[in-house]
Amino acid sequence: MGAIKYYSTNRNIIESGFKPFKGTVSFKEALMIGQAPDAGLFMPERIPNISKGDLEDLRGNRYFEVAHFILDKFLYGDIDSDYLLKLCKEAYNFKVPIEKVNDRKYILRLDQGPTASFKDFAARMMARLMGALKDENKDLNILVATSGDTGSAVGEAFKGVNGINVFILYPEKEVSGRQKKQLDTIGENVTTLSINGKFDDCQNLVKMAFQDKDLSDLNLTSANSINIGRILPQMVYYFYSYLEKSEEGESVVFSVPSGNFGNSLGCEFSRRMGLPVSKIIMAVNENDEFPNYLNSGKYQKLSPSKPCISSAMNVGHPSNLARFFELYGGTVDKSGKVHKYPDLKKMQSKLFSIAISDQMTKDAIKSIYEKHNVILEPHGAVGWAGLEKYLHENGDYSPCISLETAHPAKFPEEIKLLLGFEPELPESMKDVDKRQGEPIRLENDYIQLKNFLICSLENK
Ligand SMILES: *Cc1c(COP(=O)(O)O)cnc(C)c1O
């Protein structure tokens, strides 16, 4: 079988004036352009299979070895297998602890990467794949606007990757002191631009740069969160934790704190590859459009989204819903319009979704600490509370694995309020306040940005 091709989730939309993209692209193209020409999301035309025997053979492997095995199935024919192993080893050089709560219920801690967020897992691999697949004799220049956390995850991920330069724009007055420190001190091939303006201004400046024909020689690209290169690495920890905590023949319940559904999509892809998953719990905060859909069969996006303490999950229309609909035979576009409904019964049999209020989130943080001495931050607590609800409604089940997506030390005020102490910083962030680095300061002025980019890239 040849390399896997990628098609657009919008390819079947019939609407006057709309030009669906009916073709397919290679993994490399999908990675570089991020989004299909018709604004759909790229999907693999087949999902490779992993046999029971191969799965059993993986037991006892280290994280980067599991990553290599799984990603190689998808990238076979696109990237040399030995080289992929080297990239996996480089990307996954930190711990992936699985903490026991009680019986056979576990917390999978995805908070030990350089920015203490689960986004490190995807961003670090995507950065290396881009580095490996880009044109050899031309630098790739990545431009991102950030309001805080995504920028540092992306910046840290690309740090030291050969032939790629990263420029991160952030609003000078809208990031916290610690976020600013994290951004300004990445260094090497990552430049931070502190903009005298708002997050929207940063986004506009980036948009103008992408549209500017004068800059077309600069090979500018984005590191979009809907990139298929960020989805594939998010399968690996489901396999890894399954291998660590299950016996042969068992199936697992996973609970995933969800916003744009990229993380839970990694679980769905894993299940379709052959990982024995009996249910995927997609736990959301008060943005309850998806659980409402699973209950009623009618989808209605939330606009605007509701502000909750699990702020990275304040999403009123999850971008990766288009991929879930696609996998179950439906089509929804990025505006939230449903063109064809998926097979609801099938979806209900594999997926469970529940909305967890801020109050329930806080209660969960307190009770899991008091009962089991486990510290969770608000996102992970939504996942845990969702799992408890599921088990309460459906009867006990084990093993169960609930994901923690950020380190509690990133939420010191909230934790202090609820538990009475500030959690210790993780290893990767211990020295953050002492790091040195200064941003380039720019006005909210496109000409300034343009001149800066031209000057700094012409000297490369
Ligand atoms: C991004 C994020 C999420 C949501 O993940 P999705 O893939 O968008 O569903 C959850 N928790 C944290 C801490 C995040 O940063």
Side-chain angles (χ1 to χ4, degrees), residues 116-119 149-150 225 230-231 234 237 256-265 283 310-315 318-320 377-380 404-407 410-411:
S117 150
F118 94 98
K119 293 198 169 65
D149 280 353
T150 309
S225 66
R230 276 177 70 164
I231 302 294
Q234 293 181 162
Y237 37 77
V256 189
S258 297
N260 272 313
F261 292 6
N263 200 359
S264 45
L265 186 70
S310 48
S311 57
M313 304 186 338
N314 294 340
V315 179
S319 52
N320 282 295
E377 53 69 60
H379 303 83
E404 173 55 293
T405 48
H407 195 281
K410 293 182 104 174
F411 302 84

Side-chain angles (χ1 to χ4, degrees), residues 153-196:
V154 169
E156 283 290 347
F158 280 95
K159 177 176 176 170
V161 175
N162 241 332
I164 299 189
N165 309 301
V166 180
F167 298 89
I168 303 174
L169 286 76
Y170 69 82
E172 184 160 17
K173 297 191 188 73
E174 289 181 6
V175 298
S176 73
R178 183 164 282 161
Q179 281 178 326
K180 187 171 153 48
K181 213 37 169 180
Q182 274 188 299
L183 286 161
D184 292 344
T185 58
I186 301 171
E188 294 188 39
N189 54 329
V190 180
T191 306
T192 44
L193 306 170
S194 161
I195 305 293
N196 184 12

Side-chain angles (χ1 to χ4, degrees), residues 309 362 365-366 370 411-423:
I309 55 171
K362 292 176 186 173
I365 293 175
K366 270 193 177 146
E370 281 160 12
F411 302 84
E413 296 88 9
E414 199 66 54
I415 304 293
K416 176 114 203 248
L417 215 60
L418 293 167
L419 304 183
F421 60 88
E422 279 191 21

Side-chain angles (χ1 to χ4, degrees), residues 268-431:
E268 175 74 24
F269 275 14
S270 302
R271 188 181 69 73
R272 286 170 187 254
M273 275 186 92
L275 188 71
V277 179
S278 61
K279 207 75 164 188
I280 305 172
I281 301 171
M282 295 155 79
V284 299
N285 59 24
E286 292 168 28
N287 292 280
D288 56 1
E289 64 281 355
F290 188 63
N292 284 348
Y293 162 66
L294 277 188
N295 288 332
S296 70
K298 281 273 166 272
Y299 181 69
Q300 182 69 53
K301 74 168 174 185
L302 270 179
S303 180
S305 61
K306 291 188 196 164
C308 295
I309 55 171
S310 48
S311 57
M313 304 186 338
N314 294 340
V315 179
H317 174 49
S319 52
N320 282 295
L321 188 67
R323 287 184 166 123
F324 271 99
F325 267 40
E326 174 67 41
L327 287 168
Y328 287 90
T331 305
V332 62
D333 67 25
K334 99 181 182 185
S335 74
K337 179 172 171 187
V338 177
H339 296 263
K340 182 179 173 220
Y341 270 105
D343 184 335
L344 183 63
K345 284 243 147 52
K346 218 177 197 167
M347 250 187 176
Q348 288 167 334
S349 75
K350 304 294 180 196
L351 311 175
F352 175 85
S353 187
I354 186 156
I356 303 295
S357 68
D358 275 357
Q359 190 54 52
M360 289 156 78
T361 307
K362 292 176 186 173
D363 291 346
I365 293 175
K366 270 193 177 146
S367 81
I368 196 172
Y369 181 71
E370 281 160 12
K371 281 192 212 143
H372 306 294
N373 210 25
V374 170
I375 308 176
L376 293 180
E377 53 69 60
H379 303 83
V382 167
W384 180 255
L387 175 62
E388 288 199 311
K389 287 267 171 210
Y390 174 77
L391 296 175
H392 185 75
E393 286 176 23
N394 294 278
D396 199 28
Y397 187 95
S398 56
C400 298
I401 300 172
S402 188
L403 278 56
E404 173 55 293
T405 48
H407 195 281
K410 293 182 104 174
F411 302 84
E413 296 88 9
E414 199 66 54
I415 304 293
K416 176 114 203 248
L417 215 60
L418 293 167
L419 304 183
F421 60 88
E422 279 191 21
E424 238 184 273
L425 280 172
E427 211 49 56
S428 63
M429 289 177 68
K430 278 235 159 79
D431 68 336

